[in-house]
């Protein structure tokens, strides 16, 4: 049981290049999330998904796209990378948080460190 | 007003001391609460859930005050390995995502 895994762990891009970050979970979780975290700052939600085939915007979605074609995978795409997207990207997953009285919580992957030059 | 607010610190305390953090939340529909720990350059990890009656896990005690809308974390006999950022996290009833505080940075000094 690997939990939440992220690929790649590190990446350096040039401005304007594109890339896809992959998140995979083996816990059969319905919900998946992408966050970014900048130095000395809190987590900011980029996009999330409440089930296979669904996606929704978080608080900082601009410049990113996502897809959830399979329940266990959640992909984050950068179409044209910018230096402002230099950050650590965390994926997380959870069971259905909307269930009444839910005490479920999120589990995070180890992160992807992205530098855009 | 932020939905979840924490004192960012940093808190610098000597090894063996007791340290406490508070966290306030603004949404009265908040239904479940958690403390996460995040080490430098690592992912956040669940430290403990917070139950209405309060709960302990070894040297860690979590309390919930629904009337005043705050939760607290107490660390007794602090160890060097307790140095980390502690995140207060809230699940609001009906929401599809958790709300994370900005974190409180703790450094335990030898």
């Amino acid at each position: 049981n690997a939990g939440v895994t992220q690929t790649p762990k590190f990446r350096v891009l040039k401005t304007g290049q594109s890339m896809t970050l992959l998140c995979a979970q083996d816990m059969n979780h319905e919900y998946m999330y992408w966050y970014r975290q900048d130095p000395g700052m809190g987590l900011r939600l980029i996009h999330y998904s409440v089930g296979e085939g669904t996606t929704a915007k978080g608080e900082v979605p601009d410049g990113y796209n996502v897809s959830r074609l399979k329940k266990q995978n959640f992909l984050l795409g950068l179409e044209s990378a910018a230096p402002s997207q230099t950050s650590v990207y965390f994926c997380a997953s959870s069971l259905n948080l909307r269930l009444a009285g839910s005490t479920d919580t999120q589990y995070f992957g180890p992160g992807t460190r992205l530098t855009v030059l | 007003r932020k939905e979840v607010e924490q004192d960012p610190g940093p808190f610098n305390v000597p090894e063996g001391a007791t340290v406490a953090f508070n966290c306030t939340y603004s949404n009265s529909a908040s239904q479940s609460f958690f403390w996460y720990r995040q080490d430098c350059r690592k992912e956040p990890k669940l430290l403990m859930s917070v139950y209405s009656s309060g709960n302990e896990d070894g040297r860690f005690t979590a309390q919930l005050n629904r009337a005043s809308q705050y939760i607290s974390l107490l660390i007794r006999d602090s160890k060097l390995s307790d140095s980390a950022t502690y995140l207060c996290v809230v699940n609001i009833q009906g929401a599809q995502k958790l709300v994370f505080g900005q974190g409180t940075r703790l450094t335990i000094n030898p």
Side-chain angles (χ1 to χ4, degrees), chain B residues 26-37:
Chain B
S26 59
N27 194 321
S28 59
S30 300
Q31 62 176 4
S32 49
F33 310 87
F34 311 90
W35 283 104
Y36 276 66
R37 170 194 170 123

Side-chain angles (χ1 to χ4, degrees), chain B residues 3 9 12-13 18 27 29 31 49 60 72 75 85 97 104-105:
Chain B
E3 289 189 280
N12 289 284
V13 301
T18 296
N27 194 321
Q31 62 176 4
S49 301
F60 298 84
S72 63
I75 306 174
T85 297
K97 52 192 182 297
T104 297
R105 188 171 168 191

